Amino acid sequence: MFDAEMFIENSLEEIRKTVGESRVISACSGGVDSTVATYLVHKAVGEKLVAVFIDDGLRREGEPEFVMRVLKSIGVKARLIDAKEGFFAVFKGKTDAEEKRKAFREQFYSTLGRAAEEEKITCIVQGTIKADVIETVKGIKSQHNVLSQIGINPEKYGYKILEPLRELFKPDVRKVGRQLGLPPEISERMPFPGPALSLRVLGEVTPEKIAIVRKATQIVEEETRQLGTFQNFAVLHNDRATGIKDDKRLYGNIITVRIVESEAAVTAKAAQVPYETLMKIAARITQEIPTVVRCLYDITDKPPSTIEFE
Ligand code: XMP
């Protein structure tokens, strides 16, 4: 049985030892993993930690404001970095999922690297958890926060890496979050991938497509909050389908809704959501997003699918 209190005690000691006299930077996305890792390091080294929220333009509606507010409320000093333009620039012309991950990862680390340089910091916190390491090692997909496994030498970026959660699976990360006293809106938060909505726009990522999937995501989340499922989201397809809008034919966008039950994301079941909920989601998505003419529900488990489409 995992003992969160004991884990925290040991981690604080280890973090202090690793950090020594250095200062530390943590890119906090507001997800469970990176926020728990950030707060744990904050508890261990206090003012030596500088938290940053990198606004890559790929987050959910209202996310930058939400994350900055939460960090402030728990006493972590944080800076928002507006990096939207740079991220959209590197996605230009990229359609392959792993190429997009690589582009995200490189842009992420060069943005973080610049911030670290400005602050004269050489130690960075990563919210890597055990599932990230397993999937990357297996070659299923390269998680953006598993550097060593994908042949990136952190020294190339001039960092020491601190990964306090790398031995934990998600349920234990949540226990640590609760034990640390993080608000439930963080400790119980739905998992969300590091490269964010870029993985949920199939094909090339553009600001226009992100805006569509962001709105669809907001609708899915609003309509499924009560389900208690593991992950609920929307995906924008790269192809189009025929539909009717304002009595006219429209060759428009397709959105797939994916809602899964899972323990630690290693396997997952497509959730048996009440049909009325799905109908309401389809109605709202096609009414509130002018270009969407079709809404589908994914009924595949993991395996053979993965949770994300990319
Ligand atoms: P898959 O799609 O592999 O997802 O079944 C398993 C869990 O990992 C998340 N995921 C990612 N997280 N970077 C991340 O930080 C990524 O590149 C990435 N790809 C998938 C996914 O949302 C699910 O919770």
Side-chain angles (χ1 to χ4, degrees), residues 4 45 47 58 95 115-116 118 121 124 126 173 223 229 231 233 304:
V45 303
E47 295 289 302
L58 308 168
T95 53
E118 280 164 28
I121 294 174
I124 81 159
Q126 299 263 66
V173 177
E223 297 300 332
T229 37
Q231 243 173 318
F233 58 91

Side-chain angles (χ1 to χ4, degrees), residues 101 135 141 143-144 191 193-195 199 231 265 302 306-308:
R101 276 200 176 76
E135 299 238 312
K141 57 186 70 170
Q143 303 281 347
H144 81 286
L199 301 179
Q231 243 173 318
K302 171 183 180 176
T306 52
I307 293 177
E308 304 290 342

Side-chain angles (χ1 to χ4, degrees), residues 2 7 11 14-15 33 36-37 40 125-134 136-137 145-150 154 161-170 172-173 176:
F2 175 71
F7 172 85
S11 299
E14 205 183 305
I15 292 165
D33 307 342
V36 170
L40 198 56
V125 183
Q126 299 263 66
T128 318
I129 68 169
K130 197 149 190 164
D132 300 340
V133 179
I134 291 172
T136 302
V137 171
N145 51 1
V146 184
L147 292 181
S148 50
Q149 283 79 1
I150 49 179
I161 302 285
L162 207 55
E163 293 179 311
L165 310 177
R166 61 173 306 125
E167 296 301 328
L168 307 190
F169 282 109
K170 190 76 92 188
D172 291 341
V173 177
V176 172

